[in-house]
Amino acid sequence: QKEVEQNSGPLSVPEGAIASLNCTYSDRVSQSFFWYRQYSGKSPELIMSIYSNGDKEDGRFTAQLNKASQYVSLLIRDSQPSDSATYLCAVSGSNYQLIWGAGTKLIIKP
Amino acid sequence: EPEVTQTPSHQVTQMGQEVILRCVPISNHLYFYWYRQILGQKVEFLVSFYNNEISEKSEIFDDQFSVERPDGSNFTLKIRSTKLEDSAMYFCASSETEGTNYGYTFGSGTRLTVV
């Protein structure tokens, strides 16, 4: 059974600080890794994708991938109250299917 | 920005009734998906659809479920005889290439409540 694990939180971070979100996955052959943001009652919104080991930066977001440790993380710099949401880690389970973590609830405190 | 459109946004149905959830994928996308999310739980894959046939389905997608692309724009999910445990948010998604290459664009979802 392919699994994606995340700490459910909530993770509380002061405004302006760095939020660090983590995810581990079980399937060593997974090739694609995604971070989605989900506001309550809304659909997931893709914010970052990463495919090779190392860091990938996009604005205030940095995704980090370590395939040897089967570990993906997301850093959010200069956290804003609007970043408060649940962050979902998703990992490719096949050509078509993503396997999802349960999400980490992030709260940015003004 | 192109959107995936889902209707209705909320549907209430009686147990045992048939429901059809509708989706209009982004026009140049070729791959279509249904996912569901039971309240407070993980997003779960149901089915992927490409070239007018199912390319992959999960264990959840049993004989009670079916998908169809009846015309060039709509993509539907039918649940033949709804159960209480089918209550969930159902998300349609589409992608230009195989979804796990670049991720999906999700619709806003249909909240299905079975009573």
Side-chain angles (χ1 to χ4, degrees), chain B residues 1 16 24 34 44 46-47 70 86 94 96 108 112:
Chain B
E1 188 168 328
V24 178
W34 284 101
E44 299 174 292
L46 294 178
V47 66
D86 292 328
S94 69
E96 202 169 345
S108 55
L112 177 64

Side-chain angles (χ1 to χ4, degrees), chain B residues 30-70:
Chain B
L30 301 176
Y31 298 81
F32 314 115
Y33 314 86
W34 284 101
Y35 279 78
R36 79 174 186 189
Q37 188 176 30
I38 296 170
L39 186 63
Q41 297 190 22
K42 293 183 180 184
V43 176
E44 299 174 292
F45 172 77
L46 294 178
V47 66
S48 60
F49 192 85
Y50 169 69
N51 200 25
N52 284 319
E53 60 182 26
I54 291 173
S55 46
E56 190 173 353
K57 61 182 180 179
S58 71
E59 292 176 354
I60 302 168
F61 195 87
D62 61 20
D63 292 345
Q64 293 300 310
F65 291 88
S66 62
V67 289
E68 195 176 36
R69 189 158 161 81

Side-chain angles (χ1 to χ4, degrees), chain B residues 3-113:
Chain B
E3 286 187 343
V4 175
T5 305
Q6 288 187 246
T7 56
S9 57
H10 190 190
Q11 176 142 10
V12 181
T13 189
Q14 289 205 327
M15 191 168 51
Q17 295 297 303
E18 175 183 287
V19 295
I20 297 176
L21 310 183
R22 291 183 165 81
C23 170
V24 178
I26 294 173
S27 61
N28 65 332
H29 285 186
L30 301 176
Y31 298 81
F32 314 115
Y33 314 86
W34 284 101
Y35 279 78
R36 79 174 186 189
Q37 188 176 30
I38 296 170
L39 186 63
Q41 297 190 22
K42 293 183 180 184
V43 176
E44 299 174 292
F45 172 77
L46 294 178
V47 66
S48 60
F49 192 85
Y50 169 69
N51 200 25
N52 284 319
E53 60 182 26
I54 291 173
S55 46
E56 190 173 353
K57 61 182 180 179
S58 71
E59 292 176 354
I60 302 168
F61 195 87
D62 61 20
D63 292 345
Q64 293 300 310
F65 291 88
S66 62
V67 289
E68 195 176 36
R69 189 158 161 81
D71 53 43
S73 59
N74 290 286
F75 178 52
T76 62
L77 174 69
K78 182 192 290 187
I79 309 175
R80 287 189 183 79
S81 177
T82 49
K83 309 185 205 48
L84 294 176
E85 54 264 38
D86 292 328
S87 295
M89 281 288 286
Y90 287 81
F91 296 112
C92 174
S94 69
S95 61
E96 202 169 345
T97 67
E98 291 171 347
T100 55
N101 288 345
Y102 301 109
Y104 312 134
T105 302
F106 280 91
S108 55
T110 294
R111 180 174 297 283
L112 177 64
T113 303

Side-chain angles (χ1 to χ4, degrees), chain A residues 93-105:
Chain A
S94 69
N95 286 342
Y96 304 102
Q97 177 184 166
L98 292 181
I99 310 296
W100 298 76
T104 298
K105 184 173 183 177

